Amino acid sequence: LGFDMTNGVYQYPKDLQEAHDKAVEELENKNIDEKCRTREKMYPQIRERFKKAKKIYTYESGTLLIRPAESATEIIREGRILHHCVGGYTYLSEHNEKTGIILLLRKKKEENTPYITVELNSQSEIEQWYGMCDRKPDEKKVDRWLKRYLKQLDKKKVRREMKGAAV
């Protein structure tokens, strides 16, 4: 991290575990920032896609809302915060190439806080959905909500929006 290791403050911290944890977190954030910059260049269509996709996939009902991911960075951070695999190459590629889409399910009162990530395929079917640590919080409630979401989704618009789909 570029610390001056001849400085006693860094050599002998008051709380070694705290100093270690802080340094690890700082290093992880630095690595994530670099990963995000790289992935934004690799998957530029995700940002471009969001402009049209938000009109097709965004939906609110009750206490929840769902929308497409806005960028590679947002997908990566979603996976990091919820401790699941959504930020990997496969998900980014599918979203970028329009063979699938990553949707972010949020509580309306906390719309900027990751809650559940949903993967939708080109047939307007849910491939999978997970919350924190690959768990399914409020599973019955969320399953019912997602079924209502799929019923209102315009399948023709989804097929048109997805890559290579003929209508």
Side-chain angles (χ1 to χ4, degrees):
L1 291 172
F3 295 140
D4 175 9
M5 295 312 294
T6 61
N7 184 326
V9 171
Y10 298 114
Q11 289 178 336
Y12 308 105
K14 288 181 183 176
D15 185 332
L16 181 59
Q17 185 64 49
E18 182 182 324
H20 170 268
D21 293 348
K22 185 177 178 183
V24 167
E25 183 179 350
E26 199 172 317
L27 185 58
E28 284 180 3
N29 288 336
K30 185 177 178 181
N31 290 340
I32 289 297
D33 290 345
E34 180 57 34
K35 180 179 180 180
C36 289
R37 279 191 294 280
T38 303
R39 299 308 183 273
E40 286 291 334
K41 290 176 187 170
M42 289 175 69
Y43 304 107
Q45 294 299 63
I46 295 174
R47 279 190 184 279
E48 194 59 36
R49 182 181 190 187
F50 178 74
K51 295 171 187 173
K52 292 180 184 175
K54 67 182 175 184
K55 295 173 187 163
I56 297 167
Y57 300 99
T58 300
Y59 173 72
E60 294 185 25
S61 177
T63 61
L64 300 174
L65 65 90
I66 195 167
R67 66 171 177 81
E70 188 173 339
S71 65
T73 295
E74 188 171 46
I75 294 171
I76 291 166
R77 292 198 185 284
E78 179 90 357
R80 294 291 289 183
I81 291 168
L82 292 179
H83 301 282
H84 58 50
C85 61
V86 80
Y89 287 108
T90 302
Y91 300 104
L92 292 167
S93 293
E94 287 176 0
H95 193 97
N96 190 67
E97 295 165 11
K98 296 185 179 182
T99 57
I101 191 162
I102 301 300
L103 303 169
L104 311 178
L105 183 64
R106 303 287 194 249
K107 294 177 182 177
K108 281 185 189 178
K109 291 182 178 180
E110 303 170 49
E111 65 183 79
N112 294 318
T113 303
Y115 175 49
I116 291 173
T117 312
V118 179
E119 179 187 10
L120 193 70
N121 66 26
S122 60
Q123 288 77 45
S124 303
E125 301 165 335
I126 294 174
E127 287 290 319
Q128 59 182 329
W129 69 266
Y130 289 106
M132 180 69 78
C133 298
D134 290 330
R135 293 194 180 101
K136 293 193 171 189
D138 305 316
E139 187 169 2
K140 289 180 183 178
K141 176 186 169 189
V142 171
D143 273 335
R144 283 192 308 271
W145 194 93
L146 288 171
K147 284 179 185 173
R148 285 195 311 273
Y149 169 68
L150 291 177
K151 283 182 184 178
Q152 68 79 42
L153 200 57
D154 188 330
K155 309 301 187 269
K156 287 183 182 179
K157 287 183 181 179
V158 169
R159 282 194 304 273
R160 247 183 266 136
E161 195 275 331
M162 292 278 186
K163 180 182 179 182
V167 178

